[in-house]
Amino acid sequence: MVHVLSSRFLLRPTDPERSRAFYGGQLALPVYREFGTGPDRGTVYFLGGGFLELSGRSDVPPSPATRLWLQVPDAAAAHDELRGAGVTVVRAPVREPWGLIEMWIEDPDGVPIVLVEVPADHPLRYRPGI
């Protein structure tokens, strides 16, 4: 088994300033570090157990296969907070048949972001006798 110390997801946005405004402003992700200078500087956001790096610039949006999955403690509270910050909610929080509560948003380049709440009684969290 590989012992992973941290993980990083790299995005090359079409408009880095717009993406920084979204991830750092609207989503209020904390900045882990920045590097370089000017409008195309790199910004790494802390995601709890990993990092999201916005670095460089792309002429085309990321592949439609690109998705982010972010776990939140309370999807309903995240919904209210993000709507208040002007984030367009693609789908409000819904309890899925598999038991997770999911809400969908997207970044300025259309990258789908799933915000997931793992309820206390879900098998991902609930472990009787432990």
Side-chain angles (χ1 to χ4, degrees), residues 96-109:
E96 300 290 357
W98 46 90
L100 298 175
I101 300 169
E102 296 185 4
M103 177 177 85
W104 301 345
I105 61 175
E106 61 185 23
D107 87 348
D109 281 325

Side-chain angles (χ1 to χ4, degrees), residues 8 12 22 26-29 36 41 49 54 68 75 80 92 105 120:
R8 178 168 294 160
R12 297 209 186 280
F22 175 77
Q26 291 180 291
L27 294 190
L29 295 178
R41 71 188 179 280
L54 300 181
L68 289 175
D80 294 343
I105 61 175

Side-chain angles (χ1 to χ4, degrees), residues 27-119:
L27 294 190
L29 295 178
V31 173
Y32 175 70
R33 71 182 184 94
E34 292 187 286
F35 54 92
T37 59
D40 290 345
R41 71 188 179 280
T43 305
V44 180
Y45 295 98
F46 184 65
L47 292 177
F51 301 95
L52 169 66
E53 180 176 329
L54 300 181
S55 181
R57 179 186 294 265
S58 176
D59 293 332
V60 296
S63 161
T66 302
R67 306 221 185 292
L68 289 175
W69 191 91
L70 305 175
Q71 186 174 338
V72 297
D74 184 333
H79 177 262
D80 294 343
E81 182 180 337
L82 292 174
R83 284 191 54 201
V87 174
T88 300
V89 174
V90 175
R91 194 187 82 178
V94 171
R95 184 179 284 263
E96 300 290 357
W98 46 90
L100 298 175
I101 300 169
E102 296 185 4
M103 177 177 85
W104 301 345
I105 61 175
E106 61 185 23
D107 87 348
D109 281 325
V111 173
I113 302 170
V114 181
L115 287 96
V116 178
E117 176 185 341
V118 181

